[in-house]
Amino acid sequence: MNRFFSVENNALVASKKEVIRYLGYRALHQPDEIIDSLIDQCIEEMQKVIRPSLVWDEFDLSVSEENSLVGGNEIVSKKLAENLSGCSRVVMFAATLGSEVDKMIRTVSFTDSAKACVLQATGAMFIEEFVDSFNRKVEEDVALQGCVCPKRFSPGYGDLPLETQKLFFRLLNCSKIGLTLMDTLIMAPEKSVTAFIGVEKK
């Protein structure tokens, strides 16, 4: 049975450093005062409207050189098989910040392209912070069982095709958290993530 995970919007710790990184700045080239102030503004405004929610489940897993059998479903991907090598179970999850984030970015994009760009980066930061918080929970839970987790792995990385998104929507009740998968294999709301987290005995 699918399980759900959520946090209050103000429980996510905003990382300004990550927003700056998503905007493409590097150590020797940092935002000027105007952009710096805009980042603070976008973080504050977005944190009021995000609704972080996640659906997940755990499945039996067997892995060969280029194939992973997840709950009886075969996935052909050498990179995913390498990531899950040694694991006997896998957590699959789908997470989103909610539709209000998309509405905010879309509305602002008509009048202020610079702010819309910063909001995009802010949304990317918040969804990663949320997913990281769930990842830590999984790691803490499996540690009690004497297990560890490799780094999570998402469709679109390496040779794992976006087509794999369909498996998440088949196995998880994504509509319960307001997620839909479009014909282009892009999720709506946009600030959403799916991923595998392997579980391996130490």
Side-chain angles (χ1 to χ4, degrees):
M1 182 181 293
N2 289 177
R3 287 163 276 187
F4 297 89
F5 175 79
S6 62
V7 298
E8 294 296 325
N9 53 353
N10 57 6
L12 289 181
V13 179
S15 171
K16 187 173 181 178
K17 180 179 178 181
E18 282 299 287
V19 176
I20 291 171
R21 183 176 70 83
Y22 280 118
L23 285 170
Y25 289 95
R26 295 295 178 261
L28 297 179
H29 183 208
Q30 291 296 292
D32 59 25
E33 289 184 8
I34 294 175
I35 298 298
D36 190 77
S37 176
L38 184 58
I39 292 171
D40 289 334
Q41 178 187 345
C42 288
I43 288 174
E44 181 180 353
E45 291 178 2
M46 188 170 287
Q47 193 145 31
K48 294 176 182 177
V49 303
I50 57 175
R51 297 293 180 267
S53 56
L54 180 151
V55 58
W56 67 282
D57 211 338
E58 187 175 302
F59 301 91
D60 291 332
L61 171 73
S62 61
V63 181
S64 62
E65 186 175 339
E66 294 189 5
N67 298 303
S68 303
L69 199 62
V70 178
N73 298 275
E74 184 182 33
I75 304 170
V76 180
S77 166
K78 187 173 183 179
K79 291 298 183 182
L80 179 64
E82 289 174 356
N83 176 268
L84 297 177
S85 177
C87 299
S88 59
R89 293 176 290 148
V90 64
V91 169
M92 293 176 63
F93 73 82
T96 184
L97 293 181
S99 60
E100 290 302 315
V101 171
D102 283 12
K103 290 178 183 177
M104 172 183 280
I105 295 172
R106 188 166 55 249
T107 300
V108 170
S109 67
F110 291 122
T111 57
D112 191 338
S113 58
K115 184 175 181 180
C117 183
V118 175
L119 283 171
Q120 286 282 4
T122 303
M125 175 274 295
F126 272 126
I127 189 63
E128 285 301 309
E129 290 295 321
F130 177 47
V131 168
D132 283 346
S133 69
F134 175 71
N135 212 141
R136 288 191 294 269
K137 177 189 181 301
V138 173
E139 290 172 345
E140 290 166 3
D141 288 348
V142 303
L144 298 176
Q145 306 163 18
C147 297
V148 294
C149 297
K151 188 176 180 181
R152 65 178 179 265
F153 204 94
S154 290
Y157 289 179
D159 63 347
L160 182 62
L162 274 179
E163 189 83 12
T164 314
Q165 300 278 42
K166 292 181 180 179
L167 181 61
F168 284 85
F169 279 76
R170 194 159 70 242
L171 298 180
L172 302 177
N173 189 0
C174 295
S175 62
K176 188 79 171 180
I177 60 170
L179 259 182
T180 58
L181 185 65
M182 296 184 284
D183 292 340
T184 57
L185 303 177
I186 301 300
M187 291 182 288
E190 183 182 341
K191 298 307 177 188
S192 304
V193 170
T194 58
F196 298 94
I197 304 176
V199 179
E200 178 183 7
K201 280 285 186 183
K202 285 185 181 178

